[in-house]
Amino acid sequence: MRESLQERVQDQDFPHWRRNLAVLWCAQFISLCGFSLSVPFAPYFLRELAPGASEPRIRLYAGLSSLLTQVAFAVAAPLWGWVADRYGRKKMVLRAASMGAVVLGCMGFCQYAWQFLLLRFLQGCFTGTIAASTTLVACNTPRHRAGFALGMLSSSIFSGDMTGLLLGGILSERFGFRNSFHVSCGLLVVTTLTVLFLVREHFTPPTPEETSSYQGGWQDTWQWILLPALPVLAIYGVHSLARLMDQSQIALYVEELNGGMGFPGRELYTGWIMGAGALGAVLSGFLLARHIDARAAAIAQWLGGMAGCAVLLMALLPFLLPATPRIQPLGFPRETTWAVVAMIPLRFLMVFCAGGMEPICTAWISKVTEPARRGVMFGYAQAVRSCGSGMGHLGACILAPLLGVNAVYWTIPLAFFATSAMVAAFQGKIQGRIRQVERLAEKTP
């Protein structure tokens, strides 16, 4: 009865949390749909911008386009988290969405590869709708609803990915890459207006005493914010490396499995494969959200192992399945290979598992951090995520030009298996920190 009463009190403290979750779910769906319409097909667009470049150089450009974005995210995210804790989290969502509209719109006018790479760097500096929305939901949701809310929000992220990838493959093939960037710009404008008029934020600016309590420089930041969350951040970083390592190369891998540059249908099948992965993440968000708080560690270990096995099978496809004869799957207008068809369920399984781990990590980050410091904590978490992703992209930049794209898919399973091992090793420390934060919250009037 006492716990039920505490939960009712917490719900009353955040009267708009359900409405905000619904609105931000829709806003994140639209914004991720906008990004996924165009950005995942960057390797093909770079080939248009640099028609004389060799294939290894195109792979290098593709890796750099993702690496630069993640480096910028890693540098800028803690700053935006600091701003969010002092001036409000809703403003950070508006900043990320509006700047995303500007950057994506400008990408459609690029004439040279260096212009596109510069805009990808600026994208990392000024956007970041996922981190901003996650912080807003985490800080405006009762503690006992945090796992559920963040799990549901993650499903919007990947469902937006799925829809954008499916539509992006069609738009790119029929209307060209530039028009896809312009449509993306329009969708980010819709996101900005949706958040501006419909989200209600429960935000109280910190008092000077609260601000000074964790403004003592890097030593205090390390001791009071980062060190208690270090096990979760380590898991999040390695998971991000595994989850995003092939992001810049998957389009080229699908093209290779499809028969190479001379065979049509690359955009279509890339969209379907990546869309299948996003569908897997949507389902994992819905199916696992209610179980995150109770059995997060066991679920995370299982998901890491399954994701590693799925990627290992992707690496084996060229050796297991013949390139000829080509087939035309039911309902598809283009012929392709068995390997490309097999990528659809394997990508679904991989991202179902990897996508399920994402809300577990964000829920843990929220629970091991005191409420007044969650903005800056999620900023650092975004930096860790970007560092992990950046290391993955850097590895892809090295492996793909030297050993081929397939080499990337031999590396990813190691990171997924390492994630499962880290969850098993650190779960005791994570649960101890969560209980400590809960006790501090009970003492706070």
Side-chain angles (χ1 to χ4, degrees):
M1 179 64 68
R2 179 186 175 189
E3 182 178 355
S4 177
L5 178 61
Q6 288 178 344
E7 290 179 357
R8 288 199 297 269
V9 171
Q10 289 179 29
D11 285 345
Q12 292 173 0
D13 290 339
F14 301 95
H16 302 295
W17 78 267
R18 292 183 177 85
R19 168 182 171 160
N20 286 344
L21 179 60
V23 173
L24 287 169
W25 195 101
C26 296
Q28 277 296 91
F29 175 89
I30 296 170
S31 66
L32 268 297
C33 181
F35 282 111
S36 297
L37 272 175
S38 49
V39 172
F41 302 96
Y44 304 147
F45 187 49
L46 284 165
R47 194 174 283 151
E48 284 188 5
L49 297 177
S54 64
E55 195 60 20
R57 183 173 291 274
I58 293 297
R59 293 174 184 173
L60 178 62
Y61 284 160
L64 283 176
S65 70
S66 296
L67 177 60
L68 289 172
T69 305
Q70 298 304 325
V71 169
F73 270 138
V75 174
L79 172 63
W80 293 125
W82 181 88
V83 174
D85 279 342
R86 285 151 183 78
Y87 302 104
R89 287 85 186 206
K90 177 180 175 179
K91 294 177 181 178
M92 295 300 98
V93 181
L94 293 173
R95 178 265 309 163
S98 59
M99 290 305 300
V102 173
V103 171
L104 289 173
C106 291
M107 286 180 182
F109 297 103
C110 287
Q111 299 298 319
Y112 303 99
W114 69 266
Q115 295 173 339
F116 183 78
L117 295 177
L118 175 61
L119 287 171
R120 288 283 281 163
F121 178 77
L122 295 177
Q123 178 186 341
C125 290
F126 296 105
T127 64
T129 58
I130 296 176
S133 296
T134 301
T135 305
L136 181 56
V137 169
C139 295
N140 287 270
T141 301
R143 285 197 313 277
H144 66 284
R145 307 284 190 181
F148 168 77
L150 293 171
M152 293 299 294
L153 186 66
S154 73
S155 70
S156 75
I157 293 169
F158 293 108
S159 61
D161 266 341
M162 177 188 67
T163 305
L165 291 166
L166 292 175
L167 295 178
I170 298 172
L171 288 175
S172 299
E173 187 173 32
R174 294 188 178 182
F175 303 107
F177 298 109
R178 296 185 184 277
N179 289 326
S180 297
F181 284 110
H182 297 152
V183 173
S184 298
C185 172
L187 291 175
L188 267 295
V189 171
V190 173
T191 297
T192 304
L193 296 176
T194 300
V195 174
L196 177 63
F197 292 110
L198 297 180
V199 169
R200 298 291 181 267
E201 182 179 15
H202 180 84
F203 176 72
T204 303
T207 63
E209 293 78 11
E210 291 173 332
T211 301
S212 62
S213 67
Y214 58 100
Q215 266 191 337
W218 170 251
Q219 185 175 357
D220 284 354
T221 299
W222 170 258
Q223 181 178 357
W224 299 109
I225 300 178
L226 295 180
L227 185 59
L230 198 58
V232 183
L233 293 176
I235 294 170
Y236 197 36
V238 176
H239 166 67
S240 299
L241 185 153
R243 165 75 177 84
L244 301 170
M245 185 174 185
D246 74 331
Q247 189 178 57
S248 65
Q249 304 295 326
I250 185 171
L252 297 175
Y253 191 51
V254 174
E255 181 183 62
E256 184 178 300
L257 295 177
N258 190 48
M261 293 175 56
F263 290 86
R266 60 184 184 179
E267 297 93 346
L268 177 66
Y269 283 107
T270 299
W272 275 95
I273 289 168
M274 298 178 74
L279 175 61
V282 172
L283 293 179
S284 71
F286 281 114
L287 296 176
L288 301 177
R290 295 184 180 277
H291 306 287
I292 287 175
D293 294 312
R295 295 185 292 274
I299 292 172
Q301 292 177 56
W302 180 82
L303 291 177
M306 290 296 294
C309 292
V311 181
L312 193 59
L313 287 175
M314 291 184 196
L316 289 169
L317 286 179
F319 306 98
L320 296 176
L321 298 174
T324 57
R326 295 177 67 82
I327 60 172
Q328 185 170 349
L330 183 65
F332 286 81
R334 304 282 191 184
E335 290 185 346
T336 189
T337 64
W338 281 107
V340 172
V341 176
M343 281 283 286
I344 296 176
L346 288 175
R347 187 74 180 180
F348 172 89
L349 178 60
M350 172 208 164
V351 187
F352 177 90
C353 298
M357 290 188 67
E358 190 87 12
I360 291 175
C361 291
T362 53
W364 275 344
I365 290 168
S366 175
K367 291 181 178 182
V368 302
T369 308
E370 297 172 43
R373 305 177 182 182
R374 283 178 184 160
V376 69
M377 182 69 252
F378 274 105
Y380 280 108
Q382 178 61 55
V384 169
R385 184 180 191 270
S386 298
C387 288
S389 177
M391 291 175 63
H393 292 313
L394 180 60
C397 285
I398 297 171
L399 292 173
L402 293 178
L403 303 176
V405 182
N406 185 258
V408 175
Y409 289 88
W410 288 105
T411 308
I412 296 173
L414 300 176
F416 275 124
F417 295 145
T419 302
S420 292
M422 293 171 69
V423 171
F426 295 149
Q427 58 178 312
K429 292 183 178 180
I430 294 171
Q431 292 302 322
R433 174 59 182 174
I434 291 174
R435 289 191 291 269
Q436 181 182 5
V437 171
E438 289 176 348
R439 287 194 296 268
L440 290 173
E442 290 176 357
K443 295 177 182 179
T444 303

